Amino acid sequence: MRIFTIIIALLFVTLASCDNKQRNTELNQETENNFQYIRYEEPADPSEVKETAWNDISEGLTGSFASIDKRYDRSVPPKVQMANQWKAYAWKGERIHKQLLLWSASDLGDISFEWGKFSDKDGNDLPVENLKARFVRYLLTDEFAEGCGHRKPQDFAVSLVADAIDEVSEFSYEPKTTRPVWITIDIPDNIPGGKYEGKLVVKTTGGDQLDFLIELTVGNLVLPGASEWSYHLDLWQNPYAVARFHNVEPWSQEHFDYLRPLVEMLANAGQKVITTSITERPWNGQTEDPFGSMIKWTKKKEGDWEFDYAIFDKWVAFAQSCGIKKLINCYSMIPWGNKFIYFNEQKGTYDSLVAEPGTQAYKEHWTPFLKDFAEHLKTKQWFSMTSIAMDERPVEMMEAAIKLVRDVVPDMKVSLAGNYHTEIEADLFDMCVASGQSVPAEVLTKRAAEGKNTTYYTCCVEAYPNNFTFSPPAESTWQGWYAAANGYDGYLRWAYNSWVKNPLTDSRFRSWPAGDTYLVYPEARTSIRFERMREGIQDFEKIKVLKKRLEQLDTEEAKKALSDLETLLNKFQISALADVSAEGMVTEGQDMVNGISKELF
């Protein structure tokens, strides 16, 4: 695999060199926590900017708490009910959010934050490291339009949208702009319950200062840590995008240094699956950075096969060290186009084979690998957690591929993300269906009893609920409620970080709606979408804990609360979003869960 890796690395360097030279002239870097952190300029607003909208805005700094369900325009003053106090309720172990807006008609210089003491009447403190105030950054987005399919930027409406959450300690304010700030509080799981009060101080180098008060009531119930969450989160990782963006050699120490905070952030959202590619371009290079094979296939001169697992092993061990430990999904025995690339030792070059599942050529190509791969996995003690994975393939191809796996390695796990097929359901350990599909309740119950995963996914097909950069933020949270309401174990999305060419400033892509290819940003910048998705996962876990506790109480009050909760959950159907906002549904659900928690526990 070494020669192939070098070739790919050189290709990355060649493709990225022009972009990197331009980017490095525009960006400067500051070291924070021994990490080179890119500072960059946001794009201009493509919409018509009305300077007159700022005529009545004061020269000094103005600020207010605001909804996390809204994306506020950068170029106009926000229309919000002014509030300098935020009252919140949370479980122990929970993460909560609030949005703060800052604006002015004048030049304020640099803006920075300072947290005041955050404590209860008994002197118990919220640790300052659990409190974050981060600037929300703007980038270009487009519209859903027809969803999937090739698109040109000039054919779609373009706008500026707030999404990326930056980690810089201070921000240079541009006059006549609205600057959102994302407030995050991680409540320790061992903190005493009660009322905590604190404040966030916003300062500018121009001498302005605003104090924002926070009153947090911590309940008695405890949300387990992310590593204990049952929610089966499967966001596909793309390490190749990280190598290209940072212009580093794939699988070098530098590459892994950039990968670590990104993968750890994913693990801290409860990620269960390590995404691996066992064939070259399993999705035919559909992303800006194609997936290479993490396993080198070599056809020896004598005609037998040799498999080099060095990169596969390195990536899996690394992801496990970051906290992702449940499942290894290996793509794909049925790549798009059924084309398989390998190194031909006799020719001294790379060669390819096109073979459909069920053919003799396909069987002869995959049988030696499956046998060798299974033995290798057993040596690494990874066999029981590894699955041969496919996505959106015809059922006839799936049947043929599964039959071959069963003939060669009978106890190998198999995964599929695609349509629901009764013919192969029993053979799938990890089954993920498109959101428009329906899995019978008895099948969900049976699979759960057998310890199998059943999840759902969204992609460029669904206008809603979805995670595009223009999607209403609450839709990302709504997805966790949908899983809880419909018996799914969790959610899959095909792209955690398949970054576009310039992911920090332009989320649009040549094939799908903006933001479809990634949820987070370079250097482990989180996003409104990702934080709201994590919130929905917390809600899923809170519902699970609450149901169990209510069943244990076995009182009339508890029975009524449980019945009310089930009635509310039944509302979480995709069809409902045609008439009711995700924001309204999520707010109603969270209010009920927190209300029951406060009243009965």
Side-chain angles (χ1 to χ4, degrees), residues 98-305:
K98 190 66 174 176
Q99 197 162 198
L100 173 67
L101 300 179
L102 303 172
W103 67 97
S104 176
S106 58
D107 186 354
L108 302 173
D110 291 342
I111 300 176
S112 61
F113 307 112
E114 182 181 301
W115 286 98
K117 189 176 179 62
F118 213 123
S119 57
D120 69 359
K121 60 181 177 60
D122 297 319
N124 298 303
D125 294 331
L126 269 172
V128 68
E129 59 267 23
N130 289 40
L131 311 169
K132 288 186 177 181
R134 295 174 288 182
F135 293 98
V136 180
R137 305 300 301 274
Y138 289 85
L139 74 165
L140 297 174
T141 189
D142 56 19
E143 58 183 334
F144 182 75
E146 296 178 357
C148 306
H150 188 78
R151 51 178 59 201
K152 296 179 181 179
Q154 62 269 26
D155 296 336
F156 296 87
V158 59
S159 60
L160 207 58
V161 67
D163 187 57
I165 299 175
D166 221 337
E167 296 285 346
V168 291
S169 56
E170 60 182 27
F171 193 87
S172 181
Y173 179 77
E174 180 184 349
K176 298 182 180 181
T177 60
T178 295
R179 179 53 55 188
V181 178
W182 197 258
I183 309 298
T184 302
I185 302 179
D186 286 299
I187 293 88
D189 59 8
N190 60 349
I191 197 169
K195 184 183 294 184
Y196 292 77
E197 296 181 341
K199 70 177 179 178
L200 173 65
V201 180
V202 181
K203 296 181 178 181
T204 74
T205 51
D208 293 276
Q209 177 174 318
L210 295 178
D211 293 352
F212 294 93
L213 309 178
I214 302 173
E215 182 184 293
L216 170 63
T217 300
V218 178
N220 296 317
L221 293 179
V222 181
L223 179 69
S227 62
E228 300 175 49
W229 293 348
S230 62
Y231 193 89
H232 192 81
L233 181 64
D234 184 4
L235 306 180
W236 295 1
Q237 312 100 58
N238 186 346
Y240 301 93
V242 177
R244 184 265 303 176
F245 182 86
H246 293 290
N247 193 18
V248 296
E249 180 183 352
W251 314 118
S252 64
Q253 185 58 52
E254 283 183 299
H255 187 195
F256 282 107
D257 287 344
Y258 281 112
L259 279 166
R260 182 166 293 280
L262 196 70
V263 179
E264 287 180 344
M265 183 168 68
L266 180 58
N268 194 39
Q271 174 75 7
K272 298 295 187 289
V273 188
I274 302 169
T275 308
T276 68
S277 44
I278 59 173
T279 56
E280 190 70 21
R281 297 192 175 217
W283 300 285
N284 198 32
Q286 65 173 344
T287 51
E288 184 71 23
D289 305 288
F291 285 72
S293 178
M294 295 178 181
I295 299 170
K296 181 181 177 182
W297 297 51
T298 300
K299 188 71 173 288
K300 304 291 286 182
K301 293 178 181 178
E302 298 79 11
D304 55 346
W305 286 92

Side-chain angles (χ1 to χ4, degrees), residues 35-60:
F35 190 77
Q36 291 298 314
Y37 203 77
I38 294 174
R39 299 177 69 95
Y40 66 98
E41 296 296 325
E42 293 175 348
D45 192 338
S47 305
E48 180 184 358
V49 178
K50 296 182 179 180
E51 292 285 336
T52 56
W54 294 89
N55 287 349
D56 298 327
I57 302 301
S58 65
E59 292 294 312

Side-chain angles (χ1 to χ4, degrees), residues 272-533:
K272 298 295 187 289
V273 188
I274 302 169
T275 308
T276 68
S277 44
I278 59 173
T279 56
E280 190 70 21
R281 297 192 175 217
W283 300 285
N284 198 32
Q286 65 173 344
T287 51
E288 184 71 23
D289 305 288
F291 285 72
S293 178
M294 295 178 181
I295 299 170
K296 181 181 177 182
W297 297 51
T298 300
K299 188 71 173 288
K300 304 291 286 182
K301 293 178 181 178
E302 298 79 11
D304 55 346
W305 286 92
E306 179 180 85
F307 306 100
D308 184 346
Y309 301 107
I311 290 176
F312 176 89
D313 291 351
K314 200 172 184 180
W315 167 242
V316 169
F318 169 79
Q320 289 179 330
S321 76
C322 292
I324 306 175
K325 300 178 179 181
K326 182 178 179 180
L327 190 63
I328 307 166
N329 271 353
C330 305
Y331 295 92
S332 167
M333 277 186 67
I334 317 178
W336 294 9
N338 297 309
K339 184 177 183 179
F340 307 101
I341 297 173
Y342 60 92
F343 185 75
N344 189 321
E345 191 178 67
Q346 181 70 39
K347 296 180 180 179
T349 60
Y350 281 89
D351 213 338
S352 63
L353 167 73
V354 177
E356 287 196 6
T359 63
Q360 185 63 26
Y362 184 87
K363 178 179 179 181
E364 291 176 357
H365 185 75
W366 279 99
T367 297
F369 172 79
L370 288 170
K371 290 180 178 179
D372 193 81
F373 190 41
E375 289 305 311
H376 177 75
L377 292 169
K378 290 174 182 177
T379 299
K380 301 291 292 185
Q381 298 185 332
W382 294 340
F383 182 78
S384 63
M385 62 179 296
T386 300
S387 182
I388 298 294
M390 279 76 76
D391 75 302
E392 298 180 337
R393 301 296 87 193
V395 66
E396 298 81 11
M397 288 188 179
M398 284 298 304
E399 287 179 309
I402 290 172
K403 182 179 185 306
L404 180 59
V405 172
R406 293 287 169 257
D407 289 344
V408 179
V409 190
D411 49 349
M412 174 69 83
K413 291 181 172 65
V414 177
S415 299
L416 171 67
N419 290 335
Y420 173 62
H421 300 292
T422 57
E423 303 94 322
I424 59 175
E425 174 274 314
D427 281 302
L428 300 174
F429 170 76
D430 189 38
M431 183 177 77
C432 183
V433 299
S435 67
Q437 298 279 300
S438 178
V439 181
E442 61 272 18
V443 174
L444 290 170
T445 301
K446 174 180 71 72
R447 291 181 59 81
E450 294 171 349
K452 296 177 179 178
N453 303 315
T454 311
T455 59
Y456 77 101
Y457 72 93
T458 61
C459 59
C460 60
V461 173
E462 295 88 354
Y464 57 82
N466 225 314
N467 319 98
F468 306 122
T469 43
F470 54 79
S471 296
E475 288 187 8
S476 292
T477 307
W478 191 95
Q479 291 169 338
W481 284 82
Y482 179 74
N486 292 277
Y488 290 115
D489 297 311
Y491 173 75
L492 176 152
R493 212 176 196 294
W494 74 275
Y496 174 60
N497 70 304
S498 280
W499 294 324
V500 294
K501 189 175 182 180
N502 299 304
L504 290 169
T505 56
D506 192 343
S507 63
R508 295 172 297 172
F509 191 57
R510 57 182 174 265
S511 300
W512 309 293
D516 190 36
T517 70
Y518 64 111
L519 290 166
V520 296
Y521 295 82
E523 297 173 317
R525 290 172 174 86
T526 186
S527 69
I528 290 177
R529 294 174 292 154
F530 187 67
E531 291 301 313
R532 296 304 306 275
M533 178 183 290

